Amino acid sequence: MLADLHTHTTASDGLLSPQELVIRAKEAGVDMLAITDHDTVSGVTAVAEAIPEGLQLIPGVELSANWRNLCIHVLGLNIDLQNQTLLNGLQKQQAVRRERAVKIAERMERAGFKGVLDGARKLAGDEYIGRPHFARYLVSSGQIKDEKTAFKKYLGQGKPGDVRHGWPAVEDAIAWVIAAGGSAVIAHPSKYKLTNLRLEELCREFREFGGAGMEVVSGFQEPALTRKLARMAERHGLLVSTGSDFHQPGLGWADLGRASPLPASCSPVWEHW
Ligand code: AMP
Ligand code: MN
Ligand code: MN
Ligand code: MN
């Protein structure tokens, strides 16, 4: 069973439409696909009735949340797309994103860039505006040479454009997912650059708040990291998940269904649905 439970579409910062994404997933041999756009379910909702035969679609979302002053990402998997608590939460996230975009633009203008807010807004959809749109605008307008440099110098963790204003507490994000009947999963735990001790604390608190699992595999990763995360999940009573975090073909991301393998001994979150 090939599962890919973390992917993005044009509804957030992916470059494929929801329809293009499900076709590509089917062609890649994926059996179970979750669409997990940042802070919106409009992509997965749009495609839910038009899924290629043999592909199981899991409705999902990736929520930005605050844990000890750090922005972490919480996947909501197997959610009810109509749930009002979740939809209210997503509306708040989208408002936070609009306000945050103004702040990011102010900081980028102060750093000497021009036309930043309008430029990023033109590339963004109605519901999600994020740092990738700023990066893409700065590159397409010739102000920065590539997106990697944009993140490295201006938009990445701890840089001027990394505005952390307004995200909900992680327990609130988990509560929205649970209200929608879904499983809350810590996304890409190795991306936060936490020490092992702090990551253990995140696991413990996440579980206490009702979280269900951890993404033990995210894209391509070293087998030693996978083993470490699998052991950590087990110690904390967290189920495991896996995903490519696919945003676009090529360029550094694992393609659909091509994340590193999960250890056979793991207890996958989807076996409990
Ligand atoms: P935001 O949702 O505005 O906080 O932006 C976060 C998104 O930016 C992530 O989901 C990634 O898609 C992208 N991103 C974060 N860091 C990098 C990076 N170093 N290089 C390229 N894209 C990145
Ligand atoms: Mn993204
Ligand atoms: Mn993420
Ligand atoms: Mn993601």
Side-chain angles (χ1 to χ4, degrees):
M1 219 280 299
L2 187 58
D4 189 339
L5 299 185
H6 188 158
T7 68
H8 296 273
T9 76
T10 45
S12 65
D13 57 351
L15 292 188
L16 298 188
S17 70
Q19 199 61 58
E20 288 167 333
L21 187 85
V22 295
I23 290 167
R24 190 180 180 90
K26 171 78 186 170
E27 285 170 358
V30 173
D31 300 302
M32 184 187 276
L33 174 78
I35 295 180
T36 54
D37 277 308
H38 299 280
D39 301 315
T40 174
V41 291
S42 64
V44 64
T45 302
V47 85
E49 304 299 324
I51 297 302
E53 217 179 296
L55 181 67
Q56 186 184 359
L57 180 72
I58 304 297
V61 69
E62 182 173 16
L63 301 168
S64 296
N66 184 55
W67 183 71
R68 303 195 182 176
N69 241 359
L70 188 78
C71 178
I72 71 154
H73 287 174
V74 175
L75 293 173
L77 298 177
N78 203 23
I79 49 174
D80 170 9
L81 295 170
Q82 316 294 330
N83 179 266
Q84 207 50 53
T85 304
L86 177 65
L87 294 178
N88 291 344
L90 295 180
Q91 286 218 326
K92 270 191 246 166
Q93 295 290 77
Q94 291 155 19
V96 166
R97 284 192 170 279
R98 286 190 292 271
E99 290 165 21
R100 173 180 177 258
V102 174
K103 292 198 163 81
I104 294 174
E106 280 168 8
R107 292 192 184 184
M108 298 305 284
E109 297 265 340
R110 241 178 278 145
F113 298 106
K114 303 286 177 224
V116 180
L117 189 57
D118 273 359
R121 277 180 178 158
K122 283 200 185 102
L123 297 175
D126 296 335
E127 297 183 338
Y128 173 92
I129 181 164
R131 287 176 282 164
H133 300 116
F134 287 90
R136 288 172 198 160
Y137 164 70
L138 292 167
V139 173
S140 66
S141 62
Q143 299 184 72
I144 292 186
K145 72 171 181 330
D146 56 32
E147 289 179 29
K148 194 167 167 225
T149 309
F151 272 93
K152 198 162 165 211
K153 288 198 172 160
Y154 300 102
L155 296 163
Q157 195 167 307
K159 303 295 178 206
D162 175 26
V163 175
R164 296 189 194 161
H165 157 86
W167 301 129
V170 68
E171 55 266 44
D172 293 339
I174 293 170
W176 300 343
V177 173
I178 291 174
S183 303
V185 168
I186 301 169
H188 44 60
S190 70
K191 288 244 177 89
Y192 312 123
K193 304 191 172 86
L194 295 169
T195 60
N196 284 338
L197 202 65
R198 294 251 294 164
L199 189 52
E200 298 268 5
E201 279 169 11
L202 173 59
C203 287
R204 184 173 50 74
E205 288 190 19
F206 197 83
R207 185 77 195 104
E208 280 169 11
F209 293 139
M214 175 153 78
E215 201 173 49
V216 158
V217 167
S218 175
F220 300 121
Q221 65 182 45
E222 292 295 323
L225 174 62
T226 305
R227 286 194 297 272
K228 180 184 96 170
L229 294 173
R231 281 196 300 270
M232 205 180 280
E234 192 176 8
R235 270 202 300 283
H236 291 278
L238 292 166
L239 302 169
V240 310
S241 189
T242 176
S244 59
D245 204 0
F246 177 86
H247 285 67
Q248 64 190 89
L251 290 173
W253 304 98
D255 211 320
L256 292 169
R258 295 292 174 274
S260 301
L262 272 177
S265 60
C266 283
S267 186
V269 64
W270 60 85
E271 288 183 1
H272 297 256
W273 291 337

